[in-house]
Each structure stands twice: as structure tokens, then as C-alpha cells.
Amino acid sequence: MCIRDRNNVRRKQIAALADRLSALADELEELKSSVEDIESEEEEYRGNMPENFQNSERYEKADAAVDALESAVSSLEEVASSIEECKEYLEQAQE
């Protein structure tokens, strides 16, 4: 196999990896959306608690759940950003 053919093979491999990262990014976005939906429901649940429950263990658990879900969303956003950065590097490698 000549150098040009091997170069084309590598470029195709890089393109395939970029495609896989794109699919992963799409799935990650769906996952993030699902977590955001649950976070919203938990916030609504916490917000609808009667005032006399706002110092209760139930309220504290709901509040902790909201905080944890917010952190999960933030982490997923960081991962998505890293995936995009990786895709950019792969695009540079294809040039």
C-alpha cells in the first residue's frame, strides 16, 4: 500500500471517529435533557411543599436532590464541551 493510500485510510478512520463523537454528543444531549426534566420536576415538588414542611427532612432531601441534579447537568455540559473540543482536534488532524 502506498503512502497516499495509507494517508486516505487514516483520514477515513479519523472521520469515523468524529462521527462516533457526534453520535455520542447527541446521546449526551438527550441524557442532559432528561436530567434537566427531572431536576425541574424536583424543583416543582420542593417549591410546592407547604410552608410547615420547609424545615423538614423531606424538604432537605428534595433540596439536596435539586443540588445534585444541577451538578449532574453541569458535569454533562463539561463533558459535551470536551467532546466538541476533541471533534475540533480530529477535524484539524484531517486537514
Side-chain angles (χ1 to χ4, degrees):
M1 184 179 281
C2 72
I3 292 175
R4 184 175 180 175
D5 290 341
R6 283 185 274 179
N7 191 34
N8 287 335
V9 168
R10 281 193 308 277
R11 297 293 182 261
K12 287 178 183 177
Q13 290 171 330
I14 292 169
L17 290 172
D19 289 344
R20 289 175 62 191
L21 281 174
S22 292
L24 182 59
D26 291 344
E27 188 167 335
L28 187 65
E29 184 58 37
E30 289 177 24
L31 180 62
K32 184 176 81 89
S33 179
S34 295
V35 174
E36 288 171 330
D37 290 346
I38 295 169
E39 176 191 355
S40 178
E41 290 173 15
E42 192 69 26
E43 285 177 333
E44 184 177 342
Y45 168 75
R46 181 188 63 187
N48 287 332
M49 280 190 187
E51 196 170 305
N52 60 332
F53 280 110
Q54 291 186 0
N55 291 321
S56 70
E57 184 178 343
R58 183 188 292 177
Y59 183 87
E60 294 300 321
K61 284 183 178 182
D63 195 49
V66 169
D67 288 345
L69 291 164
E70 286 175 352
S71 294
V73 168
S74 178
S75 292
L76 290 169
E77 289 171 344
E78 289 175 19
V79 171
S81 177
S82 293
I83 288 172
E84 287 303 315
E85 185 177 359
C86 186
K87 284 173 39 182
E88 289 173 12
Y89 290 138
L90 289 175
E91 288 171 4
Q92 290 174 10
Q94 282 182 290
E95 296 174 355

